[in-house]
């Protein structure tokens, strides 16, 4: 029986079973779920004797420091090293094909191309699509898919998948953490996953200078009381002066969103090319329906989930204006 009632589920299981040389790619600048799904899938398929090429389409193909501990991190290959004679491409955690970055072309040229994802509005760019928008994480979908493929989970595979689940659920605190999610997490722990160690690596291993960067972010945070919107930003100069890497800034948004006086939070991060990456988060109060930041991000060419989304904007001022346009017409809470 197809899990989640996904039409392509069984064909996806068969296609993975029948493939031998498999390229696997997650979205550019991967987070814990993208990387956990990628390495978990790669290790699992290798355990079945398959050859895998795990990669993503942005430079460098090296995990951020907080995810360097992940099993299989040493097996990543740069995307140009993927040979021509692969017989399957698997895309993970990509809401749209362009999230594959430089791997997009190779992926779209492949038949079969399996698209496994949990972003609402996924444009189903695969020849087979396993899109489960109520799943906590892509890692959760992958865990069930691998079981149906006949993979015996082990400590390393379970560690990758658990990392994906724990990061995308905000340590099991968001609404996407279902009873099924928690049962899966419990199952993964039974393979000897060191949950406290993972928490330490992912959430409490930033360099001391990160605290200084966080200080700047909190100091310049602005609250628009009426719109219940809080935002802050970092520049390339901030990174240079504090010595914090761009790939060590994922948790800043969690500090910005921590006020009860806002239910939409944004952080703007200046990129090398002068544009800003926008990270948006939304939360629902006890009485108010949540603002869909996914909708806002899609309006500006990005995407994501209802409560966590992102896009690219030319500058902070116009980005704030653009977001506010979507916050003025909110129903009274
Ligand atoms: P974050 O703010 O952590 O970078 O991203 C939050 C969520 O939005 C993640 O699920 C991420 O995959 C998605 N997301 C971020 N930026 C983009 C984007 O430019 N396009 C799309 N389609 N999704 C994005
Ligand atoms: Mn995800």
């Amino acid at each position: 029986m197809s899990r989640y009632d996904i039409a392509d589920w069984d064909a996806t299981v068969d296609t993975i079973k029948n493939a031998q040389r498999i390229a696997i790619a997650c979205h550019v600048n991967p987070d814990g779920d993208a990387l956990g799904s990628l390495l978990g899938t790669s290790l699992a398929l290798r355990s079945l004797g398959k050859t895998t090429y795990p990669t993503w389409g942005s430079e460098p193909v090296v995990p951020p420091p907080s995810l360097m501990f992940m099993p299989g991190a040493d097996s990543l290959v740069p995307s140009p090293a993927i040979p021509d004679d692969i017989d399957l491409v698997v895309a993970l955690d990509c809401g749209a094909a362009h999230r594959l970055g430089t791997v997009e072309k190779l992926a779209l040229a492949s038949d079969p191309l399996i698209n496994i994802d949990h972003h609402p509005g996924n444009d189903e760019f695969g020849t087979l699509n396993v899109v489960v928008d109520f799943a906590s994480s892509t890692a959760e979908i992958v865990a069930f898919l691998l079981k149906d493929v006949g993979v015996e989970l082990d400590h390393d595979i379970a560690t990758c998948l658990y990392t994906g689940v724990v990061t995308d659920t905000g340590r099991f605190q968001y609404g996407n953490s279902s009873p099924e999610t928690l049962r899966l997490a419990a199952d993964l722990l039974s393979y000897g996953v060191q949950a406290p160690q993972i928490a330490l690596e992912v959430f409490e291993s930033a360099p001391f200078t990160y605290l200084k960067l966080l200080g700047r972010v909190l100091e310049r945070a602005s609250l628009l009381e009426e719109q219940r919107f809080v935002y802050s930003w970092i520049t390339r100069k901030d990174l240079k002066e504090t010595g914090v890497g761009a790939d060590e800034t994922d948790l800043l948004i969690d500090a910005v969103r921590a006020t009860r006086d806002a239910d939409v939070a944004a952080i703007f991060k200046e990129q090398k090319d002068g544009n800003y990456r926008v990270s948006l988060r939304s939360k629902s109060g006890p009485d108010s329906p949540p603002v869909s930041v996914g909708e806002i991000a899609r309006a500006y060419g990005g995407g994501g989930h209802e409560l966590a989304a992102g896009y690219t904007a030319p500058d902070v001022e116009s980005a704030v204006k653009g977001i506010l346009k979507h916050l003025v017409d909110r129903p009274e809470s």
Side-chain angles (χ1 to χ4, degrees), residues 124-197:
E124 310 232 322
F125 57 84
T127 61
L128 291 167
N129 299 286
V130 176
V131 178
V132 186
D133 61 8
F134 56 85
S136 67
S137 51
T138 299
E140 180 174 324
I141 308 168
V142 164
F144 294 125
L145 203 52
L146 291 177
K147 285 192 177 181
D148 287 1
V149 169
V151 171
E152 287 287 333
L153 297 190
D154 62 17
H155 166 272
D156 285 359
I157 301 167
T159 295
C160 293
L161 298 178
Y162 180 89
T163 303
V165 176
V166 80
T167 51
D168 257 29
T169 57
R171 312 184 218 187
F172 305 109
Q173 73 181 325
Y174 302 133
N176 60 356
S177 197
S178 68
E180 185 86 319
T181 309
L182 291 165
R183 275 191 284 269
L184 170 66
D187 183 42
L188 294 174
L189 289 187
S190 72
Y191 293 92
V193 169
Q194 300 295 312
Q197 190 59 32

Side-chain angles (χ1 to χ4, degrees), residues 27 31-34 37 93-94 117-119 135-139 164 168 305:
H27 64 70
D31 55 14
D33 185 33
S37 303
D93 206 33
C94 295
D117 183 43
H118 70 135
H119 290 92
S136 67
S137 51
T138 299
D168 257 29
H305 306 277

Side-chain angles (χ1 to χ4, degrees), residues 27 98-99 119 277 279-281 302-305 308-311:
H27 64 70
H98 70 82
R99 296 280 289 153
H119 290 92
R277 284 288 308 158
S279 275
L280 287 170
R281 298 293 185 268
H305 306 277
Y311 64 99

Side-chain angles (χ1 to χ4, degrees), residues 30-271:
D31 55 14
D33 185 33
L35 199 56
S37 303
L38 178 73
L39 295 177
T41 303
S42 177
L43 292 172
L45 298 185
R46 286 185 182 193
S47 78
L48 298 178
K50 299 178 189 301
T51 304
T52 64
Y53 301 92
T55 191
W56 59 80
S58 60
E59 291 291 331
V61 185
V62 173
S66 64
L67 297 170
M68 201 69 96
F69 73 93
M70 287 182 66
D74 54 352
S75 69
L76 289 163
V77 296
S79 59
I82 295 174
D84 291 333
D85 61 345
I86 42 163
D87 38 40
L88 169 64
V89 175
V90 179
L92 294 163
D93 206 33
C94 295
H98 70 82
R99 296 280 289 153
L100 286 161
T102 57
V103 181
E104 178 181 0
K105 208 169 147 209
L106 174 147
L108 294 181
S110 172
D111 185 355
L113 164 63
I114 297 176
N115 163 24
I116 305 172
D117 183 43
H118 70 135
H119 290 92
N122 181 298
D123 61 10
E124 310 232 322
F125 57 84
T127 61
L128 291 167
N129 299 286
V130 176
V131 178
V132 186
D133 61 8
F134 56 85
S136 67
S137 51
T138 299
E140 180 174 324
I141 308 168
V142 164
F144 294 125
L145 203 52
L146 291 177
K147 285 192 177 181
D148 287 1
V149 169
V151 171
E152 287 287 333
L153 297 190
D154 62 17
H155 166 272
D156 285 359
I157 301 167
T159 295
C160 293
L161 298 178
Y162 180 89
T163 303
V165 176
V166 80
T167 51
D168 257 29
T169 57
R171 312 184 218 187
F172 305 109
Q173 73 181 325
Y174 302 133
N176 60 356
S177 197
S178 68
E180 185 86 319
T181 309
L182 291 165
R183 275 191 284 269
L184 170 66
D187 183 42
L188 294 174
L189 289 187
S190 72
Y191 293 92
V193 169
Q194 300 295 312
Q197 190 59 32
I198 293 173
L200 197 66
E201 296 276 2
V202 176
F203 302 113
E204 293 178 352
S205 292
F208 176 69
T209 52
Y210 174 83
L211 304 188
K212 302 297 180 186
L213 180 66
L214 180 60
R216 293 187 185 199
V217 166
L218 297 180
E219 185 61 38
R220 54 175 86 120
S222 297
L223 175 70
L224 299 174
E225 268 175 73
E226 208 173 307
Q227 291 89 350
R228 298 188 48 78
F229 174 54
V230 65
Y231 69 92
S232 188
W233 71 91
I234 55 169
T235 61
R236 298 295 300 176
K237 193 159 164 258
D238 291 322
L239 294 180
K240 202 165 166 226
E241 287 174 1
T242 58
V244 176
D247 59 357
E248 296 180 289
T249 60
D250 277 5
L251 297 180
L252 291 172
I253 185 66
D254 291 338
V256 178
R257 64 179 286 163
T259 168
R260 68 166 175 231
D261 294 319
D263 36 41
V264 176
I267 188 157
F268 307 95
K269 300 176 185 173
E270 191 187 11
Q271 306 295 292

